[in-house]
Amino acid sequence: MLWQSDLGNGKYRNPILFSDYSDPDVIRVNDTYYLIASSFNYIPGLPILKSHDLVNWTLINYAVKKLPFEHFNKPQHSKGLWAPSIRYHNNKFWIVVAMPDEGIFVTTANSPEEEWSPLQCIWEGKGFIDPCPFWDDDGKAYIIHAYAKSRIGFKSKLGI
């Protein structure tokens, strides 16, 4: 079912994104929204979209140009980059993403349109999914995450 609505002077029609952007995460920095999505084993990976009204989106970049493991040189069903989160902290953009067979990774950039740093593993291990960073008032950084039952045999628990 498609849904139509007025938004200011314009109209839009759902779905507003005619593509599969799985596990989306959206932030707003000043007057701009940024959306990131899972890309699994597809490269370039972690598509980044930009909008000023949450309706009209433009694909502006990919955060990952290459996965840091040779086994991804061949398709890997149900593997790769799962459920990233994007945040803006201390004038820098941060993406934290899980690779459920390898661990939790981070990449940073000064602007979403610029080149992102190579993925860096910050927590090696199996079963981590859905990571999300946050910074406490004292400046310490934390990551909250879930677990993939398909990888370690349990779910419905969070880790920090």
Side-chain angles (χ1 to χ4, degrees):
M1 169 193 259
L2 296 177
W3 182 69
Q4 289 186 317
S5 178
D6 288 317
L7 181 72
N9 295 330
K11 290 184 181 251
Y12 70 93
R13 188 173 172 170
N14 276 334
I16 55 171
L17 291 171
F18 291 95
S19 187
D20 181 10
Y21 290 106
S22 299
D23 309 314
D25 189 39
V26 177
I27 62 168
R28 187 181 81 182
V29 177
N30 300 319
D31 68 343
T32 305
Y33 297 92
Y34 298 97
L35 180 148
I36 188 164
S38 293
S39 57
F40 308 105
N41 73 110
Y42 298 106
I43 294 299
L46 301 181
I48 303 170
L49 290 82
K50 177 175 153 179
S51 174
H52 292 284
D53 60 11
L54 294 173
V55 173
N56 300 291
W57 290 92
T58 303
L59 178 64
I60 59 168
N61 202 355
Y62 290 89
V64 175
K65 305 299 184 215
K66 182 175 181 2
L67 293 174
F69 300 97
E70 287 199 27
H71 61 271
F72 285 106
N73 291 341
K74 295 180 183 175
Q76 301 289 315
H77 180 69
S78 296
K79 297 185 178 186
L81 302 166
W82 287 23
S85 59
I86 185 169
R87 295 293 179 267
Y88 184 71
H89 178 73
N90 282 347
N91 297 315
K92 186 182 282 191
F93 288 87
W94 300 75
I95 293 174
V96 178
V97 63
M99 297 178 74
D101 295 306
E102 292 83 13
I104 296 177
F105 293 77
V106 67
T107 179
T108 62
N110 293 324
S111 166
E113 289 95 344
E114 294 178 5
E115 188 81 14
W116 287 76
S117 66
L119 283 175
Q120 178 182 356
C121 184
I122 57 173
W123 195 0
E124 191 174 327
K126 200 170 183 88
F128 301 123
I129 58 171
D130 306 329
C132 184
F134 68 94
W135 289 264
D136 205 344
D137 292 340
D138 64 5
K140 290 183 181 176
Y142 298 89
I143 294 178
I144 190 163
H145 64 86
Y147 296 94
K149 184 176 183 180
S150 64
R151 299 310 198 269
I152 57 173
F154 63 89
K155 65 177 185 175
S156 301
K157 294 185 181 191
L158 297 177
I160 190 166

